[in-house]
Amino acid sequence: MCHEEIEHRKLAAGGRNAVEAGRTAICLVGAARRFELTGPSIVRNVLAQYPQADLFLSPMGIQGLLQYFNLVQGCMDLIKSHESRENFTYDWIVRTRVDGFWAGPLEPSSFIPNTYVIPEGSRHGGLNDSLGIGKRDISAMALSRLSTPDNLVAAGYSGLNSETAFLTQMKLGQVSTQEHSFQFCIMSDRRYSFPPSQYTTPVASLDIHGPLNGAKCRPCRDPYVGQEADEIWAKLDTNRGWVEWRNGALGLCNATSEWEKDWGEVFDVMVGPIAAAERKRVAAMSVEECVSDLGVFMGKTAQWKSPDPVHICQLGLAKRTIVQSISS
Ligand SMILES: *[C@@H]1O[C@H](CO)[C@@H](O)[C@H](O)[C@H]1NC(C)=O
Ligand SMILES: *[C@@H]1O[C@H](CO)[C@@H](O)[C@H](O)[C@H]1NC(C)=O
Ligand SMILES: *[C@@H]1O[C@H](CO)[C@@H](O)[C@H](O)[C@H]1NC(C)=O
């Protein structure tokens, strides 16, 4: 049995404790859309599961692929500068998106040495990395890829989407990837044509029966479900790798319009009492309470590369829906 195999067995046996025995960096990237919904779910299902882990936050507005790669690289830079200041290296790096809504915990079985673990599906002809978990060296390889516009252009990849570029990079680096099921989806405000054609993005209903694996989602009244939904999923490009839609497991939203006016009620029914209570608490929050909440979040954060909490709270509570923070 090779060293990695032994290590993985130990992890599986020791579960959370074994992951905790190493040092873990959790890196949250992306635009904080609907953070009042996603934030509490991330705290509960990711951060609180690994209380010893350090948090790195690098949110900003994402505009296009180049900014996306800079963002990914940005988090690795934050981690490296923290490591060199503190003179140690992390064992594990978890990277996920601020706009992810987590319906269940991030399980320790997804921490596997020697491979980069990503969600099933949404491949867009490559690999989707809306979440990635790996040992430090492997994560560093995954996160520092093609990180500047110059590199991208020099490598001749300007025509690729983020997933195919990622896949190419992982192949070049001879890093293996493994797909796992994860109970999170990317909360989306965008409108999409419906029913989706072969190559347009489907928006899953938040009414989660199976793992959404980082699919786009929103709360919607009367989602398409059962056979009706299956027929639509079946017409989508198989490269998207939707493995869990069969037998009515995944509902679909007609996302041609904005979120419904009473989306809050729909959300509460779909996500269960804990997440519903969290939503209501945030919705009723004053700026002072928000700042104090974010203060707790900042306390966990090794590097805060975002606007200050007062600004985030004023923005978020004034608009109630979108906290779009542009980092300097
Ligand atoms: C950093 O850590 C290494 C190994 O633990 C040690 O040998 C070295 O002296 C440390 N450097 C500083 C500047 O503390
Ligand atoms: C992965 O899939 C999600 C959901 O379809 C999408 O929002 C995201 O842009 C994809 N790509 C990456 C690199 O996260
Ligand atoms: C989707 O919703 C729009 C209005 O929001 C409606 O006009 C359209 O008929 C709906 N499409 C389907 C296929 O349900």
Side-chain angles (χ1 to χ4, degrees), residues 68 95 97 121-124 127-131 145 162-163 186 192 201-202 213-216 240 242:
Y68 176 76
R95 191 187 70 88
R97 288 171 51 149
S122 331
R123 274 162 232 148
H124 301 283
L127 285 170
N128 188 283
D129 72 338
S130 55
L131 166 69
R145 68 211 136 96
S162 60
E163 286 80 13
I186 303 295
Y192 295 93
T201 303
N213 284 315
K216 292 266 163 63
R240 284 163 189 265
W242 294 104

PDB file of all heavy atoms in Angstrom, residues 68 95 97 121-124 127-131 145 162-163 186 192 201-202 213-216 240 242, ligand 2:
ATOM      1  N   TYR A  68     -11.526  36.091 -13.392  1.00  0.00           N
ATOM      2  CA  TYR A  68     -11.761  34.869 -12.635  1.00  0.00           C
ATOM      3  C   TYR A  68     -10.438  34.209 -12.275  1.00  0.00           C
ATOM      4  O   TYR A  68     -10.207  33.809 -11.147  1.00  0.00           O
ATOM      5  CB  TYR A  68     -12.641  33.903 -13.438  1.00  0.00           C
ATOM      6  CG  TYR A  68     -12.814  32.592 -12.728  1.00  0.00           C
ATOM      7  CD1 TYR A  68     -13.668  32.496 -11.639  1.00  0.00           C
ATOM      8  CD2 TYR A  68     -12.081  31.478 -13.106  1.00  0.00           C
ATOM      9  CE1 TYR A  68     -13.794  31.310 -10.951  1.00  0.00           C
ATOM     10  CE2 TYR A  68     -12.208  30.285 -12.432  1.00  0.00           C
ATOM     11  CZ  TYR A  68     -13.065  30.203 -11.355  1.00  0.00           C
ATOM     12  OH  TYR A  68     -13.176  29.031 -10.680  1.00  0.00           O
ATOM     13  N   ARG A  95     -11.081  25.335  -1.599  1.00  0.00           N
ATOM     14  CA  ARG A  95     -11.490  26.573  -2.234  1.00  0.00           C
ATOM     15  C   ARG A  95     -12.947  26.455  -2.654  1.00  0.00           C
ATOM     16  O   ARG A  95     -13.342  25.472  -3.278  1.00  0.00           O
ATOM     17  CB  ARG A  95     -10.656  26.846  -3.474  1.00  0.00           C
ATOM     18  CG  ARG A  95     -10.837  28.227  -4.032  1.00  0.00           C
ATOM     19  CD  ARG A  95     -10.110  28.344  -5.350  1.00  0.00           C
ATOM     20  NE  ARG A  95     -10.799  27.541  -6.351  1.00  0.00           N
ATOM     21  CZ  ARG A  95     -11.802  28.001  -7.088  1.00  0.00           C
ATOM     22  NH1 ARG A  95     -12.207  29.230  -6.966  1.00  0.00           N
ATOM     23  NH2 ARG A  95     -12.389  27.220  -7.971  1.00  0.00           N
ATOM     24  N   ARG A  97     -16.867  28.914  -3.384  1.00  0.00           N
ATOM     25  CA  ARG A  97     -17.368  30.233  -3.766  1.00  0.00           C
ATOM     26  C   ARG A  97     -18.270  30.854  -2.706  1.00  0.00           C
ATOM     27  O   ARG A  97     -19.050  30.170  -2.064  1.00  0.00           O
ATOM     28  CB  ARG A  97     -18.129  30.118  -5.093  1.00  0.00           C
ATOM     29  CG  ARG A  97     -17.171  29.881  -6.257  1.00  0.00           C
ATOM     30  CD  ARG A  97     -17.901  29.560  -7.529  1.00  0.00           C
ATOM     31  NE  ARG A  97     -18.958  30.519  -7.847  1.00  0.00           N
ATOM     32  CZ  ARG A  97     -19.314  30.827  -9.089  1.00  0.00           C
ATOM     33  NH1 ARG A  97     -18.695  30.282 -10.111  1.00  0.00           N
ATOM     34  NH2 ARG A  97     -20.295  31.660  -9.303  1.00  0.00           N
ATOM     35  N   GLY A 121     -20.314  16.837 -12.346  1.00  0.00           N
ATOM     36  CA  GLY A 121     -21.240  17.545 -13.234  1.00  0.00           C
ATOM     37  C   GLY A 121     -20.824  18.938 -13.644  1.00  0.00           C
ATOM     38  O   GLY A 121     -19.721  19.388 -13.372  1.00  0.00           O
ATOM     39  N   SER A 122     -21.721  19.631 -14.315  1.00  0.00           N
ATOM     40  CA  SER A 122     -21.500  20.998 -14.854  1.00  0.00           C
ATOM     41  C   SER A 122     -20.138  21.154 -15.510  1.00  0.00           C
ATOM     42  O   SER A 122     -19.447  22.109 -15.249  1.00  0.00           O
ATOM     43  CB  SER A 122     -21.597  22.076 -13.788  1.00  0.00           C
ATOM     44  OG  SER A 122     -22.438  21.723 -12.757  1.00  0.00           O
ATOM     45  N   ARG A 123     -19.778  20.209 -16.336  1.00  0.00           N
ATOM     46  CA  ARG A 123     -18.401  20.220 -16.833  1.00  0.00           C
ATOM     47  C   ARG A 123     -18.148  21.183 -17.988  1.00  0.00           C
ATOM     48  O   ARG A 123     -17.023  21.542 -18.257  1.00  0.00           O
ATOM     49  CB  ARG A 123     -17.984  18.821 -17.263  1.00  0.00           C
ATOM     50  CG  ARG A 123     -17.453  18.056 -16.076  1.00  0.00           C
ATOM     51  CD  ARG A 123     -17.438  16.565 -16.339  1.00  0.00           C
ATOM     52  NE  ARG A 123     -18.110  15.898 -15.248  1.00  0.00           N
ATOM     53  CZ  ARG A 123     -18.790  14.791 -15.380  1.00  0.00           C
ATOM     54  NH1 ARG A 123     -18.926  14.211 -16.550  1.00  0.00           N
ATOM     55  NH2 ARG A 123     -19.366  14.253 -14.342  1.00  0.00           N
ATOM     56  N   HIS A 124     -19.157  21.542 -18.691  1.00  0.00           N
ATOM     57  CA  HIS A 124     -18.983  22.445 -19.832  1.00  0.00           C
ATOM     58  C   HIS A 124     -17.828  21.984 -20.721  1.00  0.00           C
ATOM     59  O   HIS A 124     -17.006  22.785 -21.151  1.00  0.00           O
ATOM     60  CB  HIS A 124     -18.731  23.884 -19.379  1.00  0.00           C
ATOM     61  CG  HIS A 124     -19.849  24.434 -18.552  1.00  0.00           C
ATOM     62  ND1 HIS A 124     -21.030  24.874 -19.094  1.00  0.00           N
ATOM     63  CD2 HIS A 124     -19.990  24.566 -17.210  1.00  0.00           C
ATOM     64  CE1 HIS A 124     -21.825  25.289 -18.124  1.00  0.00           C
ATOM     65  NE2 HIS A 124     -21.229  25.102 -16.977  1.00  0.00           N
ATOM     66  N   LEU A 127     -13.637  20.614 -16.775  1.00  0.00           N
ATOM     67  CA  LEU A 127     -13.875  20.276 -15.375  1.00  0.00           C
ATOM     68  C   LEU A 127     -14.413  21.509 -14.675  1.00  0.00           C
ATOM     69  O   LEU A 127     -13.950  22.603 -14.891  1.00  0.00           O
ATOM     70  CB  LEU A 127     -12.560  19.880 -14.702  1.00  0.00           C
ATOM     71  CG  LEU A 127     -12.013  18.522 -15.039  1.00  0.00           C
ATOM     72  CD1 LEU A 127     -10.599  18.409 -14.488  1.00  0.00           C
ATOM     73  CD2 LEU A 127     -12.873  17.429 -14.462  1.00  0.00           C
ATOM     74  N   ASN A 128     -15.399  21.302 -13.842  1.00  0.00           N
ATOM     75  CA  ASN A 128     -15.919  22.435 -13.089  1.00  0.00           C
ATOM     76  C   ASN A 128     -15.207  22.523 -11.753  1.00  0.00           C
ATOM     77  O   ASN A 128     -15.064  21.541 -11.051  1.00  0.00           O
ATOM     78  CB  ASN A 128     -17.411  22.260 -12.857  1.00  0.00           C
ATOM     79  CG  ASN A 128     -17.995  23.510 -12.257  1.00  0.00           C
ATOM     80  OD1 ASN A 128     -17.838  23.767 -11.075  1.00  0.00           O
ATOM     81  ND2 ASN A 128     -18.622  24.307 -13.077  1.00  0.00           N
ATOM     82  N   ASP A 129     -14.751  23.702 -11.438  1.00  0.00           N
ATOM     83  CA  ASP A 129     -14.040  23.812 -10.164  1.00  0.00           C
ATOM     84  C   ASP A 129     -14.667  24.866  -9.253  1.00  0.00           C
ATOM     85  O   ASP A 129     -13.988  25.644  -8.629  1.00  0.00           O
ATOM     86  CB  ASP A 129     -12.555  24.072 -10.377  1.00  0.00           C
ATOM     87  CG  ASP A 129     -12.304  25.464 -10.875  1.00  0.00           C
ATOM     88  OD1 ASP A 129     -13.231  26.067 -11.431  1.00  0.00           O
ATOM     89  OD2 ASP A 129     -11.179  25.963 -10.685  1.00  0.00           O
ATOM     90  N   SER A 130     -15.995  24.863  -9.201  1.00  0.00           N
ATOM     91  CA  SER A 130     -16.639  25.793  -8.280  1.00  0.00           C
ATOM     92  C   SER A 130     -16.314  25.397  -6.832  1.00  0.00           C
ATOM     93  O   SER A 130     -16.588  26.142  -5.902  1.00  0.00           O
ATOM     94  CB  SER A 130     -18.149  25.814  -8.491  1.00  0.00           C
ATOM     95  OG  SER A 130     -18.665  24.509  -8.373  1.00  0.00           O
ATOM     96  N   LEU A 131     -15.738  24.222  -6.673  1.00  0.00           N
ATOM     97  CA  LEU A 131     -15.226  23.772  -5.377  1.00  0.00           C
ATOM     98  C   LEU A 131     -14.022  22.892  -5.677  1.00  0.00           C
ATOM     99  O   LEU A 131     -14.042  22.108  -6.620  1.00  0.00           O
ATOM    100  CB  LEU A 131     -16.299  22.949  -4.660  1.00  0.00           C
ATOM    101  CG  LEU A 131     -15.852  22.115  -3.449  1.00  0.00           C
ATOM    102  CD1 LEU A 131     -15.458  23.012  -2.278  1.00  0.00           C
ATOM    103  CD2 LEU A 131     -16.957  21.164  -3.017  1.00  0.00           C
ATOM    104  N   ARG A 145      -2.767  28.146 -11.842  1.00  0.00           N
ATOM    105  CA  ARG A 145      -2.745  27.972 -13.290  1.00  0.00           C
ATOM    106  C   ARG A 145      -3.083  29.237 -14.067  1.00  0.00           C
ATOM    107  O   ARG A 145      -3.928  30.006 -13.677  1.00  0.00           O
ATOM    108  CB  ARG A 145      -3.769  26.911 -13.672  1.00  0.00           C
ATOM    109  CG  ARG A 145      -5.181  27.379 -13.422  1.00  0.00           C
ATOM    110  CD  ARG A 145      -6.024  26.196 -13.087  1.00  0.00           C
ATOM    111  NE  ARG A 145      -6.872  26.512 -11.981  1.00  0.00           N
ATOM    112  CZ  ARG A 145      -8.122  26.929 -12.124  1.00  0.00           C
ATOM    113  NH1 ARG A 145      -8.628  27.055 -13.312  1.00  0.00           N
ATOM    114  NH2 ARG A 145      -8.823  27.214 -11.098  1.00  0.00           N
ATOM    115  N   SER A 162     -13.469  28.575 -18.749  1.00  0.00           N
ATOM    116  CA  SER A 162     -12.653  28.314 -17.560  1.00  0.00           C
ATOM    117  C   SER A 162     -12.487  26.815 -17.293  1.00  0.00           C
ATOM    118  O   SER A 162     -11.442  26.376 -16.860  1.00  0.00           O
ATOM    119  CB  SER A 162     -13.232  29.021 -16.348  1.00  0.00           C
ATOM    120  OG  SER A 162     -14.541  28.566 -16.096  1.00  0.00           O
ATOM    121  N   GLU A 163     -13.517  26.052 -17.587  1.00  0.00           N
ATOM    122  CA  GLU A 163     -13.428  24.622 -17.297  1.00  0.00           C
ATOM    123  C   GLU A 163     -12.445  23.887 -18.220  1.00  0.00           C
ATOM    124  O   GLU A 163     -11.670  23.061 -17.767  1.00  0.00           O
ATOM    125  CB  GLU A 163     -14.789  23.935 -17.395  1.00  0.00           C
ATOM    126  CG  GLU A 163     -15.711  24.227 -16.240  1.00  0.00           C
ATOM    127  CD  GLU A 163     -16.394  25.570 -16.370  1.00  0.00           C
ATOM    128  OE1 GLU A 163     -16.337  26.169 -17.476  1.00  0.00           O
ATOM    129  OE2 GLU A 163     -16.968  26.027 -15.386  1.00  0.00           O
ATOM    130  N   ILE A 186     -24.851  27.060  -6.641  1.00  0.00           N
ATOM    131  CA  ILE A 186     -24.447  28.462  -6.792  1.00  0.00           C
ATOM    132  C   ILE A 186     -25.706  29.311  -6.959  1.00  0.00           C
ATOM    133  O   ILE A 186     -26.415  29.197  -7.955  1.00  0.00           O
ATOM    134  CB  ILE A 186     -23.523  28.642  -8.024  1.00  0.00           C
ATOM    135  CG1 ILE A 186     -22.277  27.747  -7.917  1.00  0.00           C
ATOM    136  CG2 ILE A 186     -23.134  30.112  -8.188  1.00  0.00           C
ATOM    137  CD1 ILE A 186     -21.331  28.064  -6.801  1.00  0.00           C
ATOM    138  N   TYR A 192     -32.201  33.343 -17.329  1.00  0.00           N
ATOM    139  CA  TYR A 192     -31.820  32.455 -18.429  1.00  0.00           C
ATOM    140  C   TYR A 192     -33.068  32.058 -19.200  1.00  0.00           C
ATOM    141  O   TYR A 192     -34.155  31.952 -18.622  1.00  0.00           O
ATOM    142  CB  TYR A 192     -31.163  31.187 -17.880  1.00  0.00           C
ATOM    143  CG  TYR A 192     -29.854  31.412 -17.170  1.00  0.00           C
ATOM    144  CD1 TYR A 192     -29.812  31.597 -15.795  1.00  0.00           C
ATOM    145  CD2 TYR A 192     -28.649  31.449 -17.875  1.00  0.00           C
ATOM    146  CE1 TYR A 192     -28.618  31.810 -15.127  1.00  0.00           C
ATOM    147  CE2 TYR A 192     -27.454  31.658 -17.216  1.00  0.00           C
ATOM    148  CZ  TYR A 192     -27.435  31.838 -15.858  1.00  0.00           C
ATOM    149  OH  TYR A 192     -26.254  32.050 -15.204  1.00  0.00           O
ATOM    150  N   THR A 201     -27.668  27.482 -19.794  1.00  0.00           N
ATOM    151  CA  THR A 201     -27.510  27.025 -18.424  1.00  0.00           C
ATOM    152  C   THR A 201     -28.860  26.750 -17.768  1.00  0.00           C
ATOM    153  O   THR A 201     -29.725  27.613 -17.746  1.00  0.00           O
ATOM    154  CB  THR A 201     -26.770  28.104 -17.616  1.00  0.00           C
ATOM    155  OG1 THR A 201     -25.529  28.357 -18.271  1.00  0.00           O
ATOM    156  CG2 THR A 201     -26.508  27.641 -16.195  1.00  0.00           C
ATOM    157  N   PRO A 202     -29.040  25.553 -17.240  1.00  0.00           N
ATOM    158  CA  PRO A 202     -30.256  25.265 -16.486  1.00  0.00           C
ATOM    159  C   PRO A 202     -30.136  25.813 -15.066  1.00  0.00           C
ATOM    160  O   PRO A 202     -29.031  25.879 -14.526  1.00  0.00           O
ATOM    161  CB  PRO A 202     -30.291  23.737 -16.459  1.00  0.00           C
ATOM    162  CG  PRO A 202     -28.855  23.319 -16.567  1.00  0.00           C
ATOM    163  CD  PRO A 202     -28.118  24.400 -17.307  1.00  0.00           C
ATOM    164  N   ASN A 213     -24.286  19.722  -6.426  1.00  0.00           N
ATOM    165  CA  ASN A 213     -22.950  19.741  -7.029  1.00  0.00           C
ATOM    166  C   ASN A 213     -22.569  21.031  -7.727  1.00  0.00           C
ATOM    167  O   ASN A 213     -21.986  21.011  -8.809  1.00  0.00           O
ATOM    168  CB  ASN A 213     -22.821  18.579  -8.020  1.00  0.00           C
ATOM    169  CG  ASN A 213     -22.620  17.265  -7.298  1.00  0.00           C
ATOM    170  OD1 ASN A 213     -21.822  17.188  -6.353  1.00  0.00           O
ATOM    171  ND2 ASN A 213     -23.352  16.246  -7.700  1.00  0.00           N
ATOM    172  N   GLY A 214     -22.917  22.137  -7.140  1.00  0.00           N
ATOM    173  CA  GLY A 214     -22.477  23.413  -7.708  1.00  0.00           C
ATOM    174  C   GLY A 214     -23.268  23.887  -8.905  1.00  0.00           C
ATOM    175  O   GLY A 214     -22.826  24.789  -9.610  1.00  0.00           O
ATOM    176  N   ALA A 215     -24.441  23.300  -9.151  1.00  0.00           N
ATOM    177  CA  ALA A 215     -25.295  23.799 -10.233  1.00  0.00           C
ATOM    178  C   ALA A 215     -25.818  25.188  -9.866  1.00  0.00           C
ATOM    179  O   ALA A 215     -25.869  25.548  -8.698  1.00  0.00           O
ATOM    180  CB  ALA A 215     -26.474  22.853 -10.447  1.00  0.00           C
ATOM    181  N   LYS A 216     -26.191  25.951 -10.888  1.00  0.00           N
ATOM    182  CA  LYS A 216     -26.877  27.223 -10.625  1.00  0.00           C
ATOM    183  C   LYS A 216     -28.227  26.921  -9.989  1.00  0.00           C
ATOM    184  O   LYS A 216     -28.888  25.955 -10.374  1.00  0.00           O
ATOM    185  CB  LYS A 216     -27.109  27.962 -11.943  1.00  0.00           C
ATOM    186  CG  LYS A 216     -25.844  28.446 -12.591  1.00  0.00           C
ATOM    187  CD  LYS A 216     -25.548  29.880 -12.182  1.00  0.00           C
ATOM    188  CE  LYS A 216     -24.110  30.265 -12.458  1.00  0.00           C
ATOM    189  NZ  LYS A 216     -23.764  30.229 -13.873  1.00  0.00           N
ATOM    190  N   ARG A 240     -22.324  18.365 -19.797  1.00  0.00           N
ATOM    191  CA  ARG A 240     -22.585  19.051 -18.548  1.00  0.00           C
ATOM    192  C   ARG A 240     -22.617  18.060 -17.389  1.00  0.00           C
ATOM    193  O   ARG A 240     -22.579  18.464 -16.238  1.00  0.00           O
ATOM    194  CB  ARG A 240     -23.895  19.825 -18.633  1.00  0.00           C
ATOM    195  CG  ARG A 240     -23.698  21.070 -19.434  1.00  0.00           C
ATOM    196  CD  ARG A 240     -24.981  21.671 -19.898  1.00  0.00           C
ATOM    197  NE  ARG A 240     -24.667  22.738 -20.820  1.00  0.00           N
ATOM    198  CZ  ARG A 240     -24.567  24.009 -20.462  1.00  0.00           C
ATOM    199  NH1 ARG A 240     -24.816  24.357 -19.243  1.00  0.00           N
ATOM    200  NH2 ARG A 240     -24.241  24.917 -21.338  1.00  0.00           N
ATOM    201  N   TRP A 242     -24.788  16.031 -15.959  1.00  0.00           N
ATOM    202  CA  TRP A 242     -25.791  15.997 -14.894  1.00  0.00           C
ATOM    203  C   TRP A 242     -26.080  14.559 -14.535  1.00  0.00           C
ATOM    204  O   TRP A 242     -26.813  13.882 -15.229  1.00  0.00           O
ATOM    205  CB  TRP A 242     -27.063  16.684 -15.355  1.00  0.00           C
ATOM    206  CG  TRP A 242     -26.850  18.125 -15.562  1.00  0.00           C
ATOM    207  CD1 TRP A 242     -26.726  18.766 -16.752  1.00  0.00           C
ATOM    208  CD2 TRP A 242     -26.715  19.108 -14.552  1.00  0.00           C
ATOM    209  NE1 TRP A 242     -26.524  20.100 -16.531  1.00  0.00           N
ATOM    210  CE2 TRP A 242     -26.504  20.338 -15.200  1.00  0.00           C
ATOM    211  CE3 TRP A 242     -26.739  19.075 -13.159  1.00  0.00           C
ATOM    212  CZ2 TRP A 242     -26.334  21.520 -14.489  1.00  0.00           C
ATOM    213  CZ3 TRP A 242     -26.563  20.257 -12.473  1.00  0.00           C
ATOM    214  CH2 TRP A 242     -26.365  21.453 -13.139  1.00  0.00           C
TER     215      TRP A 242
HETATM  216  C1  LIG B   2     -19.029  25.668 -12.633  1.00  0.00           C
HETATM  217  O1  LIG B   2     -20.412  25.478 -12.655  1.00  0.00           O
HETATM  218  C2  LIG B   2     -21.166  26.506 -12.107  1.00  0.00           C
HETATM  219  C3  LIG B   2     -22.611  26.116 -12.166  1.00  0.00           C
HETATM  220  O2  LIG B   2     -23.009  25.789 -13.457  1.00  0.00           O
HETATM  221  C4  LIG B   2     -20.876  27.808 -12.827  1.00  0.00           C
HETATM  222  O3  LIG B   2     -21.544  28.866 -12.205  1.00  0.00           O
HETATM  223  C5  LIG B   2     -19.408  28.095 -12.823  1.00  0.00           C
HETATM  224  O4  LIG B   2     -19.134  29.257 -13.567  1.00  0.00           O
HETATM  225  C6  LIG B   2     -18.677  26.914 -13.402  1.00  0.00           C
HETATM  226  N1  LIG B   2     -17.257  27.173 -13.495  1.00  0.00           N
HETATM  227  C7  LIG B   2     -16.402  27.436 -12.511  1.00  0.00           C
HETATM  228  C8  LIG B   2     -15.003  27.599 -12.933  1.00  0.00           C
HETATM  229  O5  LIG B   2     -16.722  27.522 -11.350  1.00  0.00           O
END
